[in-house]
Every structure is written in structure tokens, then in C-alpha cells.
PDB file of all heavy atoms in Angstrom:
ATOM      1  N   PRO A  69      79.900-137.075 118.290  1.00 87.00           N
ATOM      2  CA  PRO A  69      79.382-136.453 119.533  1.00 87.00           C
ATOM      3  C   PRO A  69      80.022-137.104 120.753  1.00 87.00           C
ATOM      4  O   PRO A  69      80.318-138.310 120.774  1.00 87.00           O
ATOM      5  CB  PRO A  69      77.886-136.733 119.493  1.00 87.00           C
ATOM      6  CG  PRO A  69      77.590-137.006 118.043  1.00 87.00           C
ATOM      7  CD  PRO A  69      78.824-137.628 117.486  1.00 87.00           C
ATOM      8  N   ALA A  70      80.268-136.324 121.789  1.00 83.00           N
ATOM      9  CA  ALA A  70      80.918-136.839 123.002  1.00 83.00           C
ATOM     10  C   ALA A  70      80.126-137.968 123.653  1.00 83.00           C
ATOM     11  O   ALA A  70      80.740-138.896 124.205  1.00 83.00           O
ATOM     12  CB  ALA A  70      81.115-135.676 123.996  1.00 83.00           C
ATOM     13  N   TRP A  71      78.806-137.904 123.558  1.00 82.00           N
ATOM     14  CA  TRP A  71      78.010-138.945 124.250  1.00 82.00           C
ATOM     15  C   TRP A  71      78.104-140.278 123.492  1.00 82.00           C
ATOM     16  O   TRP A  71      77.608-141.301 124.029  1.00 82.00           O
ATOM     17  CB  TRP A  71      76.565-138.498 124.344  1.00 82.00           C
ATOM     18  CG  TRP A  71      75.896-138.199 123.033  1.00 82.00           C
ATOM     19  CD1 TRP A  71      75.379-139.071 122.149  1.00 82.00           C
ATOM     20  CD2 TRP A  71      75.718-136.922 122.424  1.00 82.00           C
ATOM     21  NE1 TRP A  71      74.871-138.479 121.024  1.00 82.00           N
ATOM     22  CE2 TRP A  71      75.055-137.098 121.183  1.00 82.00           C
ATOM     23  CE3 TRP A  71      76.024-135.621 122.808  1.00 82.00           C
ATOM     24  CZ2 TRP A  71      74.729-136.052 120.317  1.00 82.00           C
ATOM     25  CZ3 TRP A  71      75.687-134.586 122.003  1.00 82.00           C
ATOM     26  CH2 TRP A  71      75.019-134.809 120.753  1.00 82.00           C
ATOM     27  N   THR A  72      78.660-140.310 122.313  1.00 79.00           N
ATOM     28  CA  THR A  72      78.790-141.575 121.556  1.00 79.00           C
ATOM     29  C   THR A  72      80.176-142.222 121.745  1.00 79.00           C
ATOM     30  O   THR A  72      80.448-143.253 121.134  1.00 79.00           O
ATOM     31  CB  THR A  72      78.563-141.359 120.090  1.00 79.00           C
ATOM     32  OG1 THR A  72      79.629-140.544 119.539  1.00 79.00           O
ATOM     33  CG2 THR A  72      77.242-140.648 119.844  1.00 79.00           C
ATOM     34  N   MET A  73      81.047-141.636 122.571  1.00 71.00           N
ATOM     35  CA  MET A  73      82.392-142.126 122.697  1.00 71.00           C
ATOM     36  C   MET A  73      82.679-142.646 124.110  1.00 71.00           C
ATOM     37  O   MET A  73      83.810-142.661 124.612  1.00 71.00           O
ATOM     38  CB  MET A  73      83.438-141.029 122.368  1.00 71.00           C
ATOM     39  CG  MET A  73      83.276-140.492 120.948  1.00 71.00           C
ATOM     40  SD  MET A  73      84.432-139.150 120.626  1.00 71.00           S
ATOM     41  CE  MET A  73      85.983-139.978 120.771  1.00 71.00           C
ATOM     42  N   THR A  74      81.642-143.117 124.800  1.00 49.00           N
ATOM     43  CA  THR A  74      81.794-143.558 126.188  1.00 49.00           C
ATOM     44  C   THR A  74      82.044-145.034 126.280  1.00 49.00           C
ATOM     45  O   THR A  74      82.264-145.590 127.370  1.00 49.00           O
ATOM     46  CB  THR A  74      80.526-143.232 127.000  1.00 49.00           C
ATOM     47  OG1 THR A  74      79.402-143.851 126.360  1.00 49.00           O
ATOM     48  CG2 THR A  74      80.302-141.738 127.083  1.00 49.00           C
ATOM     49  N   ALA A  75      81.977-145.785 125.148  1.00 41.00           N
ATOM     50  CA  ALA A  75      82.172-147.215 125.207  1.00 41.00           C
ATOM     51  C   ALA A  75      83.615-147.555 125.463  1.00 41.00           C
ATOM     52  O   ALA A  75      84.557-146.925 124.912  1.00 41.00           O
ATOM     53  CB  ALA A  75      81.699-147.889 123.893  1.00 41.00           C
ATOM     54  N   PRO A  76      83.897-148.622 126.259  1.00 43.00           N
ATOM     55  CA  PRO A  76      85.264-149.053 126.419  1.00 43.00           C
ATOM     56  C   PRO A  76      85.801-149.708 125.142  1.00 43.00           C
ATOM     57  O   PRO A  76      85.068-150.060 124.263  1.00 43.00           O
ATOM     58  CB  PRO A  76      85.164-150.101 127.535  1.00 43.00           C
ATOM     59  CG  PRO A  76      83.772-150.618 127.429  1.00 43.00           C
ATOM     60  CD  PRO A  76      82.908-149.457 126.978  1.00 43.00           C
ATOM     61  N   GLU A  77      87.105-149.789 125.074  1.00 38.00           N
ATOM     62  CA  GLU A  77      87.735-150.448 123.932  1.00 38.00           C
ATOM     63  C   GLU A  77      87.291-151.888 123.849  1.00 38.00           C
ATOM     64  O   GLU A  77      87.300-152.586 124.857  1.00 38.00           O
ATOM     65  CB  GLU A  77      89.275-150.368 124.031  1.00 38.00           C
ATOM     66  CG  GLU A  77      89.806-148.958 123.967  1.00 38.00           C
ATOM     67  CD  GLU A  77      89.738-148.390 122.564  1.00 38.00           C
ATOM     68  OE1 GLU A  77      89.653-149.207 121.623  1.00 38.00           O
ATOM     69  OE2 GLU A  77      89.748-147.175 122.412  1.00 38.00           O
ATOM     70  N   GLN A  78      86.852-152.325 122.678  1.00 37.00           N
ATOM     71  CA  GLN A  78      86.476-153.700 122.567  1.00 37.00           C
ATOM     72  C   GLN A  78      87.697-154.558 122.191  1.00 37.00           C
ATOM     73  O   GLN A  78      88.530-154.116 121.379  1.00 37.00           O
ATOM     74  CB  GLN A  78      85.366-153.872 121.518  1.00 37.00           C
ATOM     75  CG  GLN A  78      85.556-153.078 120.232  1.00 37.00           C
ATOM     76  CD  GLN A  78      84.348-153.188 119.357  1.00 37.00           C
ATOM     77  OE1 GLN A  78      83.369-153.830 119.717  1.00 37.00           O
ATOM     78  NE2 GLN A  78      84.426-152.633 118.224  1.00 37.00           N
ATOM     79  N   PRO A  79      87.858-155.724 122.726  1.00 36.00           N
ATOM     80  CA  PRO A  79      89.078-156.513 122.531  1.00 36.00           C
ATOM     81  C   PRO A  79      89.296-156.953 121.082  1.00 36.00           C
ATOM     82  O   PRO A  79      90.433-157.064 120.675  1.00 36.00           O
ATOM     83  CB  PRO A  79      88.857-157.713 123.416  1.00 36.00           C
ATOM     84  CG  PRO A  79      87.365-157.829 123.644  1.00 36.00           C
ATOM     85  CD  PRO A  79      86.868-156.457 123.590  1.00 36.00           C
ATOM     86  N   ASP A  80      88.248-157.200 120.337  1.00 39.00           N
ATOM     87  CA  ASP A  80      88.410-157.780 119.009  1.00 39.00           C
ATOM     88  C   ASP A  80      88.428-156.738 117.912  1.00 39.00           C
ATOM     89  O   ASP A  80      88.835-157.030 116.787  1.00 39.00           O
ATOM     90  CB  ASP A  80      87.311-158.809 118.730  1.00 39.00           C
ATOM     91  CG  ASP A  80      87.349-160.012 119.679  1.00 39.00           C
ATOM     92  OD1 ASP A  80      88.503-160.276 120.128  1.00 39.00           O
ATOM     93  OD2 ASP A  80      86.320-160.565 119.976  1.00 39.00           O
ATOM     94  N   ALA A  81      87.895-155.553 118.224  1.00 37.00           N
ATOM     95  CA  ALA A  81      87.834-154.552 117.159  1.00 37.00           C
ATOM     96  C   ALA A  81      89.044-153.675 117.168  1.00 37.00           C
ATOM     97  O   ALA A  81      89.678-153.497 118.173  1.00 37.00           O
ATOM     98  CB  ALA A  81      86.566-153.690 117.380  1.00 37.00           C
ATOM     99  N   THR A  82      89.355-153.155 116.028  1.00 37.00           N
ATOM    100  CA  THR A  82      90.544-152.307 115.941  1.00 37.00           C
ATOM    101  C   THR A  82      90.315-151.019 116.700  1.00 37.00           C
ATOM    102  O   THR A  82      89.228-150.432 116.598  1.00 37.00           O
ATOM    103  CB  THR A  82      90.789-151.983 114.425  1.00 37.00           C
ATOM    104  OG1 THR A  82      90.951-153.179 113.746  1.00 37.00           O
ATOM    105  CG2 THR A  82      92.034-151.107 114.291  1.00 37.00           C
ATOM    106  N   PRO A  83      91.229-150.508 117.528  1.00 36.00           N
ATOM    107  CA  PRO A  83      91.040-149.309 118.230  1.00 36.00           C
ATOM    108  C   PRO A  83      90.769-148.155 117.277  1.00 36.00           C
ATOM    109  O   PRO A  83      91.247-148.123 116.138  1.00 36.00           O
ATOM    110  CB  PRO A  83      92.391-149.081 118.955  1.00 36.00           C
ATOM    111  CG  PRO A  83      93.020-150.435 118.989  1.00 36.00           C
ATOM    112  CD  PRO A  83      92.561-151.171 117.803  1.00 36.00           C
ATOM    113  N   THR A  84      89.995-147.177 117.770  1.00 36.00           N
ATOM    114  CA  THR A  84      89.608-146.055 116.964  1.00 36.00           C
ATOM    115  C   THR A  84      90.616-144.933 117.051  1.00 36.00           C
ATOM    116  O   THR A  84      90.781-144.302 118.057  1.00 36.00           O
ATOM    117  CB  THR A  84      88.231-145.551 117.442  1.00 36.00           C
ATOM    118  OG1 THR A  84      87.315-146.631 117.445  1.00 36.00           O
ATOM    119  CG2 THR A  84      87.704-144.471 116.533  1.00 36.00           C
ATOM    120  N   PRO A  85      91.335-144.686 115.981  1.00 36.00           N
ATOM    121  CA  PRO A  85      92.204-143.518 116.012  1.00 36.00           C
ATOM    122  C   PRO A  85      91.469-142.242 115.690  1.00 36.00           C
ATOM    123  O   PRO A  85      90.412-142.289 115.087  1.00 36.00           O
ATOM    124  CB  PRO A  85      93.230-143.820 114.851  1.00 36.00           C
ATOM    125  CG  PRO A  85      92.417-144.628 113.899  1.00 36.00           C
ATOM    126  CD  PRO A  85      91.455-145.411 114.723  1.00 36.00           C
ATOM    127  N   THR A  86      91.991-141.152 116.177  1.00 34.00           N
ATOM    128  CA  THR A  86      91.363-139.866 115.903  1.00 34.00           C
ATOM    129  C   THR A  86      92.087-139.247 114.724  1.00 34.00           C
ATOM    130  O   THR A  86      93.302-139.014 114.804  1.00 34.00           O
ATOM    131  CB  THR A  86      91.454-138.942 117.120  1.00 34.00           C
ATOM    132  OG1 THR A  86      90.812-139.632 118.213  1.00 34.00           O
ATOM    133  CG2 THR A  86      90.743-137.635 116.878  1.00 34.00           C
ATOM    134  N   PRO A  87      91.411-138.942 113.582  1.00 35.00           N
ATOM    135  CA  PRO A  87      92.102-138.301 112.486  1.00 35.00           C
ATOM    136  C   PRO A  87      92.735-137.025 112.879  1.00 35.00           C
ATOM    137  O   PRO A  87      92.290-136.318 113.832  1.00 35.00           O
ATOM    138  CB  PRO A  87      90.949-138.101 111.460  1.00 35.00           C
ATOM    139  CG  PRO A  87      89.912-139.084 111.865  1.00 35.00           C
ATOM    140  CD  PRO A  87      90.021-139.232 113.356  1.00 35.00           C
ATOM    141  N   ALA A  88      93.772-136.633 112.155  1.00 32.00           N
ATOM    142  CA  ALA A  88      94.531-135.433 112.494  1.00 32.00           C
ATOM    143  C   ALA A  88      93.663-134.184 112.492  1.00 32.00           C
ATOM    144  O   ALA A  88      93.850-133.233 113.206  1.00 32.00           O
ATOM    145  CB  ALA A  88      95.718-135.276 111.574  1.00 32.00           C
ATOM    146  N   SER A  89      92.694-134.185 111.576  1.00 34.00           N
ATOM    147  CA  SER A  89      91.806-133.036 111.430  1.00 34.00           C
ATOM    148  C   SER A  89      90.717-132.989 112.471  1.00 34.00           C
ATOM    149  O   SER A  89      89.953-132.043 112.492  1.00 34.00           O
ATOM    150  CB  SER A  89      91.236-133.006 110.063  1.00 34.00           C
ATOM    151  OG  SER A  89      90.425-134.167 109.865  1.00 34.00           O
ATOM    152  N   GLU A  90      90.661-134.011 113.356  1.00 37.00           N
ATOM    153  CA  GLU A  90      89.570-134.062 114.312  1.00 37.00           C
ATOM    154  C   GLU A  90      90.105-133.973 115.729  1.00 37.00           C
ATOM    155  O   GLU A  90      90.693-134.932 116.254  1.00 37.00           O
ATOM    156  CB  GLU A  90      88.791-135.394 114.147  1.00 37.00           C
ATOM    157  CG  GLU A  90      88.217-135.596 112.772  1.00 37.00           C
ATOM    158  CD  GLU A  90      87.591-136.916 112.660  1.00 37.00           C
ATOM    159  OE1 GLU A  90      87.361-137.579 113.712  1.00 37.00           O
ATOM    160  OE2 GLU A  90      87.331-137.367 111.539  1.00 37.00           O
ATOM    161  N   PRO A  91      89.945-132.876 116.413  1.00 36.00           N
ATOM    162  CA  PRO A  91      90.376-132.791 117.821  1.00 36.00           C
ATOM    163  C   PRO A  91      89.488-133.667 118.663  1.00 36.00           C
ATOM    164  O   PRO A  91      88.268-133.727 118.539  1.00 36.00           O
ATOM    165  CB  PRO A  91      90.161-131.303 118.161  1.00 36.00           C
ATOM    166  CG  PRO A  91      89.127-130.840 117.179  1.00 36.00           C
ATOM    167  CD  PRO A  91      89.375-131.629 115.952  1.00 36.00           C
ATOM    168  N   THR A  92      90.146-134.405 119.589  1.00 35.00           N
ATOM    169  CA  THR A  92      89.391-135.333 120.447  1.00 35.00           C
ATOM    170  C   THR A  92      88.636-134.500 121.508  1.00 35.00           C
ATOM    171  O   THR A  92      89.205-133.641 122.177  1.00 35.00           O
ATOM    172  CB  THR A  92      90.358-136.264 121.181  1.00 35.00           C
ATOM    173  OG1 THR A  92      91.084-136.971 120.166  1.00 35.00           O
ATOM    174  CG2 THR A  92      89.615-137.202 122.060  1.00 35.00           C
ATOM    175  N   PRO A  93      87.319-134.755 121.640  1.00 36.00           N
ATOM    176  CA  PRO A  93      86.551-134.016 122.639  1.00 36.00           C
ATOM    177  C   PRO A  93      87.110-134.328 124.034  1.00 36.00           C
ATOM    178  O   PRO A  93      87.367-135.500 124.376  1.00 36.00           O
ATOM    179  CB  PRO A  93      85.171-134.527 122.498  1.00 36.00           C
ATOM    180  CG  PRO A  93      85.120-135.213 121.140  1.00 36.00           C
ATOM    181  CD  PRO A  93      86.486-135.676 120.890  1.00 36.00           C
ATOM    182  N   GLU A  94      87.302-133.288 124.826  1.00 34.00           N
ATOM    183  CA  GLU A  94      87.811-133.437 126.143  1.00 34.00           C
ATOM    184  C   GLU A  94      86.808-133.099 127.238  1.00 34.00           C
ATOM    185  O   GLU A  94      87.106-133.066 128.418  1.00 34.00           O
ATOM    186  CB  GLU A  94      89.061-132.586 126.342  1.00 34.00           C
ATOM    187  CG  GLU A  94      90.212-132.933 125.403  1.00 34.00           C
ATOM    188  CD  GLU A  94      91.411-132.056 125.586  1.00 34.00           C
ATOM    189  OE1 GLU A  94      91.289-131.093 126.384  1.00 34.00           O
ATOM    190  OE2 GLU A  94      92.448-132.281 124.978  1.00 34.00           O
ATOM    191  N   VAL A  95      85.584-132.853 126.817  1.00 32.00           N
ATOM    192  CA  VAL A  95      84.546-132.451 127.809  1.00 32.00           C
ATOM    193  C   VAL A  95      83.483-133.520 127.798  1.00 32.00           C
ATOM    194  O   VAL A  95      83.202-134.125 126.794  1.00 32.00           O
ATOM    195  CB  VAL A  95      83.969-131.038 127.490  1.00 32.00           C
ATOM    196  CG1 VAL A  95      84.996-130.022 127.634  1.00 32.00           C
ATOM    197  CG2 VAL A  95      83.408-131.049 126.057  1.00 32.00           C
ATOM    198  N   THR A  96      82.945-133.713 128.952  1.00 34.00           N
ATOM    199  CA  THR A  96      81.800-134.618 129.086  1.00 34.00           C
ATOM    200  C   THR A  96      80.549-133.877 128.658  1.00 34.00           C
ATOM    201  O   THR A  96      80.533-132.673 128.596  1.00 34.00           O
ATOM    202  CB  THR A  96      81.669-135.090 130.518  1.00 34.00           C
ATOM    203  OG1 THR A  96      81.391-133.961 131.331  1.00 34.00           O
ATOM    204  CG2 THR A  96      82.934-135.757 130.987  1.00 34.00           C
ATOM    205  N   PRO A  97      79.464-134.634 128.419  1.00 33.00           N
ATOM    206  CA  PRO A  97      78.208-133.955 128.079  1.00 33.00           C
ATOM    207  C   PRO A  97      77.786-132.990 129.169  1.00 33.00           C
ATOM    208  O   PRO A  97      77.255-131.922 128.929  1.00 33.00           O
ATOM    209  CB  PRO A  97      77.237-135.126 127.874  1.00 33.00           C
ATOM    210  CG  PRO A  97      78.100-136.282 127.534  1.00 33.00           C
ATOM    211  CD  PRO A  97      79.370-136.094 128.252  1.00 33.00           C
ATOM    212  N   GLU A  98      78.060-133.377 130.441  1.00 33.00           N
ATOM    213  CA  GLU A  98      77.622-132.542 131.544  1.00 33.00           C
ATOM    214  C   GLU A  98      78.417-131.215 131.509  1.00 33.00           C
ATOM    215  O   GLU A  98      77.858-130.131 131.705  1.00 33.00           O
ATOM    216  CB  GLU A  98      77.809-133.236 132.873  1.00 33.00           C
ATOM    217  CG  GLU A  98      76.923-134.488 133.045  1.00 33.00           C
ATOM    218  CD  GLU A  98      77.473-135.687 132.341  1.00 33.00           C
ATOM    219  OE1 GLU A  98      78.574-135.626 131.803  1.00 33.00           O
ATOM    220  OE2 GLU A  98      76.773-136.680 132.362  1.00 33.00           O
ATOM    221  N   ALA A  99      79.728-131.336 131.297  1.00 32.00           N
ATOM    222  CA  ALA A  99      80.557-130.136 131.275  1.00 32.00           C
ATOM    223  C   ALA A  99      80.201-129.267 130.134  1.00 32.00           C
ATOM    224  O   ALA A  99      80.151-128.014 130.186  1.00 32.00           O
ATOM    225  CB  ALA A  99      82.044-130.510 131.208  1.00 32.00           C
ATOM    226  N   SER A 100      79.923-129.884 128.985  1.00 33.00           N
ATOM    227  CA  SER A 100      79.514-129.097 127.797  1.00 33.00           C
ATOM    228  C   SER A 100      78.259-128.338 128.061  1.00 33.00           C
ATOM    229  O   SER A 100      78.081-127.204 127.673  1.00 33.00           O
ATOM    230  CB  SER A 100      79.345-129.995 126.620  1.00 33.00           C
ATOM    231  OG  SER A 100      78.909-129.289 125.496  1.00 33.00           O
ATOM    232  N   ALA A 101      77.293-128.980 128.716  1.00 32.00           N
ATOM    233  CA  ALA A 101      76.014-128.321 129.004  1.00 32.00           C
ATOM    234  C   ALA A 101      76.209-127.184 129.987  1.00 32.00           C
ATOM    235  O   ALA A 101      75.612-126.100 129.835  1.00 32.00           O
ATOM    236  CB  ALA A 101      75.017-129.338 129.553  1.00 32.00           C
ATOM    237  N   SER A 102      77.089-127.363 131.014  1.00 32.00           N
ATOM    238  CA  SER A 102      77.270-126.312 131.986  1.00 32.00           C
ATOM    239  C   SER A 102      78.003-125.159 131.435  1.00 32.00           C
ATOM    240  O   SER A 102      77.852-124.005 131.889  1.00 32.00           O
ATOM    241  CB  SER A 102      78.035-126.876 133.187  1.00 32.00           C
ATOM    242  OG  SER A 102      79.330-127.294 132.774  1.00 32.00           O
ATOM    243  N   ALA A 103      78.815-125.378 130.392  1.00 32.00           N
ATOM    244  CA  ALA A 103      79.563-124.290 129.775  1.00 32.00           C
ATOM    245  C   ALA A 103      78.758-123.527 128.757  1.00 32.00           C
ATOM    246  O   ALA A 103      79.227-122.525 128.236  1.00 32.00           O
ATOM    247  CB  ALA A 103      80.841-124.850 129.125  1.00 32.00           C
ATOM    248  N   SER A 104      77.597-124.040 128.384  1.00 33.00           N
ATOM    249  CA  SER A 104      76.809-123.406 127.372  1.00 33.00           C
ATOM    250  C   SER A 104      76.259-122.084 127.847  1.00 33.00           C
ATOM    251  O   SER A 104      75.810-121.976 128.999  1.00 33.00           O
ATOM    252  CB  SER A 104      75.642-124.298 126.940  1.00 33.00           C
ATOM    253  OG  SER A 104      76.147-125.523 126.474  1.00 33.00           O
ATOM    254  N   PRO A 105      76.280-121.031 127.011  1.00 35.00           N
ATOM    255  CA  PRO A 105      75.715-119.768 127.461  1.00 35.00           C
ATOM    256  C   PRO A 105      74.220-119.868 127.572  1.00 35.00           C
ATOM    257  O   PRO A 105      73.599-120.746 126.936  1.00 35.00           O
ATOM    258  CB  PRO A 105      76.139-118.836 126.308  1.00 35.00           C
ATOM    259  CG  PRO A 105      76.313-119.703 125.118  1.00 35.00           C
ATOM    260  CD  PRO A 105      76.860-120.997 125.688  1.00 35.00           C
ATOM    261  N   SER A 106      73.630-119.028 128.343  1.00 34.00           N
ATOM    262  CA  SER A 106      72.170-119.046 128.521  1.00 34.00           C
ATOM    263  C   SER A 106      71.525-118.683 127.184  1.00 34.00           C
ATOM    264  O   SER A 106      71.936-117.711 126.511  1.00 34.00           O
ATOM    265  CB  SER A 106      71.743-118.038 129.576  1.00 34.00           C
ATOM    266  OG  SER A 106      72.356-118.393 130.814  1.00 34.00           O
ATOM    267  N   PRO A 107      70.546-119.401 126.768  1.00 35.00           N
ATOM    268  CA  PRO A 107      69.913-119.117 125.480  1.00 35.00           C
ATOM    269  C   PRO A 107      69.174-117.790 125.541  1.00 35.00           C
ATOM    270  O   PRO A 107      68.669-117.351 126.586  1.00 35.00           O
ATOM    271  CB  PRO A 107      68.954-120.288 125.279  1.00 35.00           C
ATOM    272  CG  PRO A 107      68.671-120.788 126.657  1.00 35.00           C
ATOM    273  CD  PRO A 107      69.895-120.551 127.439  1.00 35.00           C
TER     274      PRO A 107
END
């Protein structure tokens, strides 16, 4: 989920690569909510 990827890179941990099958989310939670159709 986009809201779980807001942490900065930690110096000691290995950086998190994005698997090829996983597109990196490019929207913030706010943008996602605003783009949602009216229920």
C-alpha cells in the first residue's frame, strides 16, 4: 500500500527494490482518494 512506503531509506538496511512484476505506486494516498469515483 502507498501509505506504507513513506519511510526514508534506512542506512543499515538493504534498499528495497521493486520486483519487475510490481509497478511502483506513483500516487499519494490523498491523490488516490481524490481520484476515486463517487461510491
